[in-house]
Amino acid sequence: MKKLLVFTFLIIGITANAQYKFTKAVLTLNDGKTLEGEARLIRKGYGFNSTISEVTYRAGKGAKKTKYDAKEVDHIIFTNKYMQEVDGVEMTKTSFDRYVPVDTKRYGNPIFLQEIMKDKLSLYAQPVKNYKSKISTDIFPANLGEFTIVYIKREDASAELITVLGLEGVIQEKIAVDYLYPCPLTQQYVMDQGGNINAVELTNFYNKNCN
């Protein structure tokens, strides 16, 4: 059964960027060791070409810092506070954001991505800040500012970038059709919609209708 951890672009946009500062977190390493304290993801590169393959941990402010590669980490749980309007009143909310190392088709080594949905077809996200380009394309528009890259991942394959427009943004039709060839029903669904669906809709359809 699918596990939907986060499902709105708003929460992704607010809380995910917090992980680039020291934030309350629990790291679980591949050897089973658990580290409680604060952590921040280390972003290398700029804009769309940035990657996050390392994390810095410390027990608390002023404590010794230790750097871990994504290959050493099983998962990270960040605890974030954010403001949300509820019935016209601003309230402080708490999210527990799970980051995991993910193999992607774009990069050779695993990178940290936020786990949104874990199932036969899984969904992951990566926030990017201040992206600017002299070249604008359908996939990568110029001057997006802050945005969220979204990946889908079959159980038997590396993750594929499906959109840079967040969880509510439309997917790339050709990429989805090519990547989801094990399930012709989903391919047909994408083509029938002309790609005019978002990543959550796509993932839910695949997991409901494909073996």
Side-chain angles (χ1 to χ4, degrees):
M1 180 178 293
K2 61 181 174 293
K3 184 177 183 181
L4 184 61
L5 303 178
V6 181
F7 59 91
T8 68
F9 174 75
L10 178 62
I11 293 178
I12 287 290
I14 292 175
T15 65
N17 282 310
Q19 273 70 273
Y20 299 114
K21 303 175 183 178
F22 275 108
T23 304
K24 184 179 179 181
V26 178
L27 276 72
T28 299
L29 304 181
N30 289 332
D31 62 6
K33 185 178 181 180
T34 298
L35 305 172
E36 296 189 32
E38 298 177 335
R40 69 176 181 89
L41 299 177
I42 303 173
R43 178 162 33 201
K44 296 182 179 180
Y46 177 80
F48 173 74
N49 292 316
S50 64
T51 60
I52 309 104
S53 59
E54 294 179 323
V55 60
T56 299
Y57 163 80
R58 67 185 185 188
K61 189 174 182 180
K64 179 183 177 181
K65 300 174 186 176
T66 305
K67 186 183 298 184
Y68 293 95
D69 187 85
K71 295 177 181 179
E72 302 175 86
V73 179
D74 183 78
H75 66 273
I76 310 168
I77 303 294
F78 288 97
T79 301
N80 285 294
K81 303 288 186 180
Y82 64 96
M83 300 301 296
Q84 185 176 40
E85 186 174 308
V86 179
D87 296 327
V89 179
E90 287 285 329
M91 300 182 65
T92 301
K93 296 284 188 176
T94 301
S95 68
F96 300 95
D97 303 325
R98 179 184 174 94
Y99 275 71
V100 296
V102 178
D103 290 319
T104 69
K105 293 179 69 176
R106 180 175 174 81
Y107 305 106
N109 296 320
I111 61 174
F112 284 112
L113 296 175
Q114 186 173 359
E115 188 176 83
I116 309 302
M117 189 184 300
K118 179 68 174 177
D119 207 325
K120 291 173 290 186
L121 185 67
S122 298
L123 192 60
Y124 301 94
Q126 175 194 347
V128 177
K129 300 181 70 174
N130 303 322
Y131 174 78
K132 294 182 180 180
S133 173
K134 295 181 180 179
I135 301 174
S136 181
T137 69
D138 290 339
I139 301 178
F140 310 122
N143 302 320
L144 275 174
E146 295 187 10
F147 64 102
T148 299
I149 296 174
V150 180
Y151 292 84
I152 53 175
K153 185 183 185 306
R154 303 195 322 263
E155 293 177 303
D156 61 341
S158 297
E160 176 69 275
L161 189 159
I162 196 65
T163 181
V164 300
L165 301 176
L167 294 176
E168 295 180 353
V170 295
I171 63 168
Q172 292 298 310
E173 180 180 0
K174 186 178 186 307
I175 293 175
V177 170
D178 291 346
Y179 186 75
L180 299 177
Y181 69 87
C183 183
L185 191 62
T186 302
Q187 290 179 305
Q188 188 62 50
Y189 169 67
V190 172
M191 291 186 288
D192 288 345
Q193 301 298 319
N196 191 29
I197 54 176
N198 63 45
V200 175
E201 293 169 332
L202 173 68
T203 306
N204 282 334
F205 185 92
Y206 185 100
N207 289 326
K208 181 179 180 181
N209 294 282
C210 304
N211 296 323

